[in-house]
Amino acid sequence: MSAALATNTFPAATLAVTNPWASRSLTLPSLGNLDAYISAVNRMPMLTLEEEQSAGRRLRDDNDIDAAGQLVMSHLRLVVSIARQYLGYGLPHGDLIQEGNVGLMKAVKRFDPEQGVRLVSYAMHWIKAEIHEYVLKNWRMVKMATTKAQRKLFFNLRSKKQGFRSEALDGDTHREAFSDGEVEIVARELKVKPEEVREMETRMSGGDVVLDPSPSDDGEERFGPIAFLADATHEPSAMIESAQRDVLATEGIANAMGELDDRSRRIVTERWLKVNDDGSGGMTLHELAAEYGVSAERVRQIEVAAMKKMRKALAEFA
């Protein structure tokens, strides 16, 4: 079933689905498609409370695969219904159903009939969770929502915008962006900052852009947006600034260190300029204090005075 959904087609001949709890069978046309699948699952019989609890106990206690099949097959229509709610993200309906079916199977595996909750209520969380994860991974190349608050904002922003547009009194129902007042309302309702609402709206309104397109079919080279991006590393002022930094980092630092006495130079070197092979720095304040026979606070004072003198020397050098 999963392979069929992935391509929105079904195997040749017939797909026979045997109903183990009612001795019924369901066949699909030899050239079936997603519509045929949806029609088929909508004809699958629903389980009564007693049948559902009985199947759940057999699966839990005896690992009965037929019982798992009953629970999954009778709730496939629920997956179709939930997946339809996410068609606005531009992803294939069959893929949404496929991911929802994965969530349904996870719910069936964890379902406990003794909790007093029907599987339809328990499975909705797992189905939506799998679909949410699929949407976030495939809607854009760059992942957009990483925190719980961002994920909630992502999946509520579209419905909030549609609600505002339907309530618009000025007739401007085609306005895309949120107004400042609407941003404040959304941020307050979803418990996020207004800046996060504006940022998510901007990211959702844009699309993926191929910076470096592949060659055309006739072999001619095509130019993409990357060909028109400025190279800041070769901008004249940036090159001059980089050269000045290099001079300050070499000759300037050497000149400033020459203004210090031996002890101050040693402290600055250990505290700021020394890097060991393992990536660690030089000596700590306490280690230097023990070496010179003074307190750590005195070493800190010497370091502050030395850095002040070096900044003055660097300013004069520049």
Side-chain angles (χ1 to χ4, degrees), residues 78-137:
L78 173 65
V79 177
V80 172
S81 176
I82 294 176
R84 191 176 292 116
Q85 303 171 16
Y86 297 88
L87 290 177
Y89 294 99
L91 298 172
H93 193 189
D95 290 349
L96 293 170
I97 294 175
Q98 170 113 327
E99 296 300 322
N101 285 343
V102 173
L104 173 61
M105 288 186 283
K106 289 183 178 180
V108 167
K109 182 178 180 180
R110 294 167 174 80
F111 178 60
D112 185 355
E114 308 303 335
Q115 294 295 324
V117 178
R118 292 297 300 265
L119 178 58
V120 63
S121 301
Y122 180 73
M124 288 181 65
H125 164 78
W126 290 93
I127 295 170
K128 289 184 177 180
E130 289 296 324
I131 295 178
H132 284 185
E133 193 66 26
Y134 169 74
V135 171
L136 289 174
K137 286 182 177 179

Side-chain angles (χ1 to χ4, degrees), residues 133 136-137 140-146 150-151 203:
E133 193 66 26
L136 289 174
K137 286 182 177 179
R140 288 285 186 269
M141 290 181 64
V142 179
K143 194 168 185 179
M144 296 184 58
T146 55
Q150 289 176 338
R151 293 167 71 97
R203 297 173 69 180

Side-chain angles (χ1 to χ4, degrees), residues 149-222:
Q150 289 176 338
R151 293 167 71 97
K152 182 179 180 181
L153 178 59
F154 177 88
F155 286 106
N156 282 276
L157 205 57
R158 186 186 301 272
S159 60
K160 292 291 183 183
K161 180 175 292 188
Q162 292 174 347
F164 285 132
R165 298 302 167 264
S166 63
E167 298 173 1
L169 300 179
D170 56 0
D172 187 12
T173 57
H174 298 290
R175 177 165 46 88
E176 292 296 330
F178 281 121
S179 66
D180 292 340
E182 292 170 345
V183 168
E184 295 292 337
I185 294 174
V186 173
R188 184 168 57 253
E189 291 182 356
L190 299 181
K191 296 181 175 59
V192 296
K193 297 178 181 179
E195 296 78 16
E196 296 180 32
V197 176
R198 294 189 181 94
E199 180 184 0
M200 183 62 71
E201 183 187 19
T202 301
R203 297 173 69 180
M204 291 181 67
S205 62
D208 296 329
V209 177
V210 180
L211 294 179
D212 192 8
S214 58
S216 59
D217 295 336
D218 55 8
E220 294 184 2
E221 184 179 0
R222 294 189 298 183

Side-chain angles (χ1 to χ4, degrees), residues 20 27 44 56 61 85 102 106-107 160-161 169 172 178 181 188 257 259-260 263 271 278 280 288 303-304 310:
T27 59
M44 295 298 293
D61 300 335
Q85 303 171 16
V102 173
K106 289 183 178 180
K160 292 291 183 183
K161 180 175 292 188
L169 300 179
D172 187 12
F178 281 121
R188 184 168 57 253
M257 292 289 285
E259 300 289 330
L260 305 178
R263 184 171 64 172
R271 297 283 293 154
D278 58 359
S280 61
L288 289 168
E303 177 187 356
V304 171
M310 287 185 65

